[in-house]
Amino acid sequence: MSSVSLDKKKARPKIARSTYTTIAAVALLVILLVGGHLIYGKILAPNTMSSLLRNYAYLLILAVGLTFTILTGGIDLSVGAIVAFSSVAGVMLVGAGWNTYLVMVLMVLMGTGFGLISGVLVRYFNVQPFIATLSTMFLARGLASMLSTEPVRIPDGSPMKSLSTEVILYDGPKNMDFKISLNVIIAIVVLIIGFIILHRTRFGRTVYAIGGSENSASLMGLPTGRAKLMVYVISGTLAGLAGLVYASRIGNASNVVGTGWELDAIAATVIGGTLLTGGAGYVLGSAVGVFVLGTLNLLINRDGNVPAAATTIITGAILLIFVLLQRAITVSGNRGGLFKRKSRDVAAGGTPPDASSTALPLSESESAESGSAKVSASPAV
């Protein structure tokens, strides 16, 4: 009986501790969707779901880029400003008669350039990511303002607008259609590629390893320096792409667009389960975080009686709850690991550490072990 119970216990699938926040985000999204549907109606309708996808495709792209940088323990504050510069510069070039397809490529490459600047500052000059991307943010925002302080429109008939052309996938009754656009497809492709890179490539394992413990990753022979540079290049590139997606949907560009979007993308990434300290998180969780924020805005708009400022307050409250949840999971994980090490030492006939030693912070080797555990656990999902 006891052996059977042990076998069942061994066979029981374990849920990684790092997924708890992502599971909480999924549960919150389901509650918002189902609760909103019961209260306001038509939230789960095909046209509402497709509208969410189309309206937040740009934020999904930004969140994928932020996932890469936050997983390394870094941050990218420049993505909103890059959206502004790339969209204003791109629309002005189209208005000046440049080939639209060439301009769309250039818009993405503009983001790559800003990301490269941030990456070089972090990689070769050891500048803190917060400061490096803050300087890039001011640079991009200032350049966008120099180009134009007035909104610039995409010329009528421009192929750039075709990215937002809606195609009906499901022809429902009473305008309950499910529509998508090329922008949505681009965002989904970015999400899939981001998932594959992070969970199926050596570069992805290096990104997780840097967030777990950069010193340990270097000792393991992983190319940490190149990876730290590349995550900012990826984030900048996706910001340029988000600028293209957003401009094509709105039909114009402005130097003030994208203000605060970096915080929205960070919030979505954190709500989706990516640790701000790096080393654990999921790009699919970031997508869930985007739809949590999108659904929240949708419900507030449907209600009509909630002031717009409440959106920021509610978002801040949700972010605070998820940060505290992450902290609780991290602390409980460290205590659990320490308890297991004690039990293992006692079982092996060793002397358990005294109480004073447990009060000390983790040694470098213990930190490395913790980081390695994160690396081995995270890509498995």
Side-chain angles (χ1 to χ4, degrees):
M1 177 66 182
S2 59
S3 61
V4 173
S5 300
L6 287 175
D7 291 340
K8 287 183 178 180
K9 189 175 181 180
K10 290 180 180 178
R12 187 182 303 166
K14 292 184 178 180
I15 299 176
R17 192 180 298 272
S18 58
T19 64
Y20 289 174
T21 312
T22 305
I23 294 173
V26 172
L28 177 60
L29 178 60
V30 172
I31 291 172
L32 288 175
L33 290 174
V34 176
H37 185 79
L38 294 176
I39 296 173
Y40 303 108
K42 299 181 180 178
I43 297 296
L44 294 175
N47 59 336
T48 305
M49 292 292 99
S50 63
S51 178
L52 268 178
L53 283 172
R54 296 195 304 274
N55 290 338
Y56 292 95
Y58 76 92
L59 187 57
L60 178 57
I61 295 172
L62 290 179
V64 172
L66 259 298
T67 305
F68 278 83
T69 54
I70 294 178
L71 278 175
T72 62
I75 200 77
D76 191 350
L77 300 178
S78 65
V79 293
I82 294 175
V83 168
F85 176 78
S86 62
S87 58
V88 170
V91 174
M92 291 183 71
L93 289 175
V94 171
W98 284 48
N99 182 283
T100 304
Y101 297 103
L102 174 62
V103 169
M104 289 193 287
V105 175
L106 288 177
M107 291 173 72
V108 178
L109 293 180
M110 290 173 195
T112 305
F114 283 107
L116 182 62
I117 294 173
S118 298
V120 168
L121 289 174
V122 174
R123 166 69 179 90
Y124 293 103
F125 294 91
N126 291 324
V127 178
Q128 288 297 318
F130 181 90
I131 301 300
T133 56
L134 185 66
S135 63
T136 313
M137 179 188 77
F138 284 123
L139 175 63
R141 186 69 68 184
L143 289 173
S145 299
M146 288 183 66
L147 289 176
S148 175
T149 55
E150 299 291 334
V152 287
R153 289 180 54 82
I154 300 175
D156 294 334
S158 171
M160 188 180 289
K161 285 189 174 181
S162 63
L163 294 177
S164 60
T165 302
E166 297 173 356
V167 177
I168 298 177
L169 282 187
Y170 170 72
D171 189 6
K174 299 180 180 179
N175 295 324
M176 296 288 181
D177 304 331
F178 189 90
K179 303 175 183 176
I180 66 167
S181 62
L182 278 176
N183 286 336
V184 174
I185 296 175
I186 290 172
I188 293 174
V189 169
V190 166
L191 180 67
I192 295 173
I193 293 176
F195 175 84
I196 293 173
I197 291 176
L198 282 176
H199 297 281
R200 295 290 184 269
T201 67
R202 187 169 185 262
F203 171 74
R205 290 191 291 273
T206 305
V207 169
Y208 278 99
I210 293 174
S213 172
E214 185 174 350
N215 290 334
S216 299
S218 298
L219 292 174
M220 291 164 62
L222 296 174
T224 55
R226 187 173 59 192
K228 286 178 67 175
L229 173 64
M230 284 305 299
V231 294
Y232 291 96
V233 172
I234 291 172
S235 181
T237 301
L238 293 182
L241 181 61
L244 170 62
V245 166
Y246 187 77
S248 68
R249 174 155 178 77
I250 301 302
N252 59 51
S254 168
N255 64 312
V256 296
V257 76
T259 304
W261 287 6
E262 61 277 356
L263 303 181
D264 292 338
I266 293 170
T269 305
V270 172
I271 290 173
T274 301
L275 289 181
L276 277 172
T277 52
Y282 310 95
V283 71
L284 297 181
S286 300
V288 175
V290 168
F291 291 116
V292 166
L293 296 180
T295 306
L296 191 61
N297 287 327
L298 173 66
L299 296 180
I300 290 175
N301 290 332
R302 283 287 180 91
D303 185 89
N305 295 320
V306 181
T311 305
T312 307
I313 297 173
I314 296 173
T315 302
I318 293 176
L319 182 61
L320 178 61
I321 292 171
F322 275 81
V323 168
L324 292 175
L325 179 60
Q326 286 186 0
R327 181 60 182 164
I329 292 171
T330 303
V331 171
S332 63
N334 289 338
R335 289 177 178 174
L338 183 60
F339 175 76
K340 289 179 179 178
R341 284 194 293 276
K342 283 182 181 179
S343 302
R344 189 168 57 243
D345 292 341
V346 172
T351 303
D354 56 20
S356 59
S357 64
T358 61
L360 295 173
L362 290 177
S363 65
E364 185 175 352
S365 60
E366 287 170 334
S367 299
E369 183 180 348
S370 175
S372 302
K374 289 180 181 178
V375 174
S376 60
S378 300
V381 174

